[in-house]
Amino acid sequence: IRESATLTRDVLEQHFNDLKGTLKKLLDERLMSLLQEVDAIEQESIKPLDECQKLIEHGVSTADDLLREGESAVHGDVGQQNEKLCSFTKKALHIQLDSLPEVPSLVDVPCLSAQLDDCLLTILKNQIFRHGTVASRPPVQLEEFVEKPGGILVRWCKVDDDFIPQDYRLQYRKSTASHFEDVYVGSETEFIVLHIDPNVDYQFRVCARGDGRQEWSPWSVPQIGHTTLVPHEWTTGLEGYSLSSRRNIALRNDSQSCGVLYSKAPTYFCGQTLTFRQVLSGIETVGQPDRRDSLGVCVEQQNGYDSLQRDKAVCISTNGAVFVNGKEMTNQLPAVTSGSTVTFDMEVVQLGPSSTEGGNFKLRVTISSNNREVVFDWVLDQCCVSLYFGCSFSYPGWKVLVF
């Protein structure tokens, strides 16, 4: 409690200090803008009046000069009077002493003033007094961590009944890292975080954004999650497939070589969920489908096959056909396309002899694809603690992520 209270005080003080600085900057910018507007109006309005004044002063000066010249002509010598009077008469004919520029009336001359509405202070006061809240607990909290091979399924839930969430935001960081990073933003309440190192602690936190709001809620209490399960990896070295750096994505390349790409080790255990996801490989469509294509699990690696549609294996073809020990089932799933997710779930339902089934080990298998699933019993003649997974595609362009 003391730690979170201290952190909250620091956040509040920093936020309001930032607001003060920003508000002062905005007020200074607005003041400067208004002063520049006053300068512009003053310069624009005074210019014609200055020109009018100059014309009037010039006319008065010219008339004053002519008047003095006339007085000199009248009071001068008799011999020079005629010449001066003649010059005076010519100048008087060429100037217009009875013409002056129009002077605008007083009501037409701008008179600057500032209109400052005091309601701004009222508005700011009301907004400031409503700005910010202090919550005793966040509206969402982390609920569950489920170990996955090379990943963690994180679930969270809403704990404030009055809070209506629009989006959630999940962040994580390695125990040795100093900063959290976003890993999911969306409306779901669970997410599988991949690329998790086994037996390493990670911190997670989640927050939410209320319906119609822009700001995020306070973060949940950070919690530690980890996985002890090694990540699923494809086997390297098969000519027909290119692998990602983490070896969890396989791309069927242009090589004419064909065969089944198996997992590096039997890392799939009963009780877990194995997921295959088709991802784009730089083009808008996946590869051309073929009836021999397969995604599935098997008891052991067997070279020499170009498909998992064989004994001791269960799989789904890209056209949605399901095969058990090489035999096609009557039930069929939707075709596998770009973005499709196929999951395998298995549980042990029988151990020991079973003469009617011809085997002594039975697994209950559920294969799901595009919101449809098939459930069947897979009978084996040996106990299998762990299984391999594999895939085979006849044409290039297919790209599969496994987790």
Side-chain angles (χ1 to χ4, degrees), residues 115-131:
Q115 288 77 47
L116 301 173
D117 193 347
D118 290 339
C119 72
L120 175 63
L121 293 177
T122 303
I123 295 173
L124 286 176
K125 180 179 178 181
N126 293 334
Q127 292 293 331
I128 289 173
F129 284 165
R130 290 199 301 265
H131 180 68

Side-chain angles (χ1 to χ4, degrees), residues 61-194:
S61 176
T62 302
D64 190 41
D65 292 342
L66 186 62
L67 179 61
R68 285 195 297 269
E69 187 175 342
E71 290 177 349
S72 175
V74 171
H75 295 95
D77 296 336
V78 176
Q80 297 178 347
Q81 278 186 348
N82 290 336
E83 183 180 348
K84 289 183 177 181
L85 286 172
C86 181
S87 174
F88 171 78
T89 303
K90 288 181 180 180
K91 289 183 178 180
L93 292 174
H94 284 87
I95 65 172
Q96 297 177 342
L97 298 177
D98 59 344
S99 176
L100 289 173
E102 182 181 2
V103 179
S105 62
L106 189 60
V107 295
D108 294 330
V109 177
C111 180
L112 279 74
S113 62
Q115 288 77 47
L116 301 173
D117 193 347
D118 290 339
C119 72
L120 175 63
L121 293 177
T122 303
I123 295 173
L124 286 176
K125 180 179 178 181
N126 293 334
Q127 292 293 331
I128 289 173
F129 284 165
R130 290 199 301 265
H131 180 68
T133 58
V134 175
S136 60
R137 56 178 55 86
V140 291
Q141 291 285 9
L142 295 168
E143 184 179 31
E144 184 182 13
F145 298 101
V146 180
E147 293 186 34
K148 297 289 183 179
I152 301 174
L153 172 62
V154 184
R155 292 192 176 103
W156 54 89
C157 63
K158 182 170 70 85
V159 295
D160 185 350
D161 294 336
D162 297 328
F163 184 79
I164 302 176
Q166 175 181 302
D167 293 306
Y168 297 99
R169 181 181 179 187
L170 178 67
Q171 289 189 336
Y172 84 127
R173 69 179 179 186
K174 222 171 187 177
S175 56
T176 56
S178 58
H179 298 290
F180 283 91
E181 60 181 274
D182 287 342
V183 69
Y184 173 77
V185 175
S187 59
E188 300 295 328
T189 56
E190 65 177 38
F191 183 76
I192 297 179
V193 183
L194 299 177

Side-chain angles (χ1 to χ4, degrees), residues 374-394:
V374 294
V375 182
F376 56 90
D377 288 340
W378 183 20
V379 179
L380 298 169
D381 58 4
Q382 63 187 90
C383 179
C384 295
V385 178
S386 59
L387 298 167
Y388 289 88
F389 58 85
C391 70
S392 65
F393 299 101
S394 300

Side-chain angles (χ1 to χ4, degrees), residues 8-57:
T8 302
R9 290 189 192 97
D10 293 341
V11 170
L12 288 172
E13 291 175 357
Q14 182 63 48
H15 177 74
F16 277 86
N17 285 333
D18 292 343
L19 281 180
K20 289 177 187 177
T22 303
L23 185 59
K24 183 180 184 304
K25 181 180 178 183
L26 292 175
L27 289 173
D28 289 343
E29 290 178 356
R30 180 56 179 164
L31 174 60
M32 184 60 66
S33 175
L34 292 174
L35 292 176
Q36 290 175 352
E37 192 174 341
V38 171
D39 294 341
I41 295 175
E42 181 185 22
Q43 294 298 326
E44 182 181 357
S45 302
I46 206 70
K47 183 177 180 181
L49 295 178
D50 286 341
E51 293 176 351
C52 180
Q53 182 178 358
K54 289 178 181 178
L55 287 174
I56 293 173
E57 290 175 351

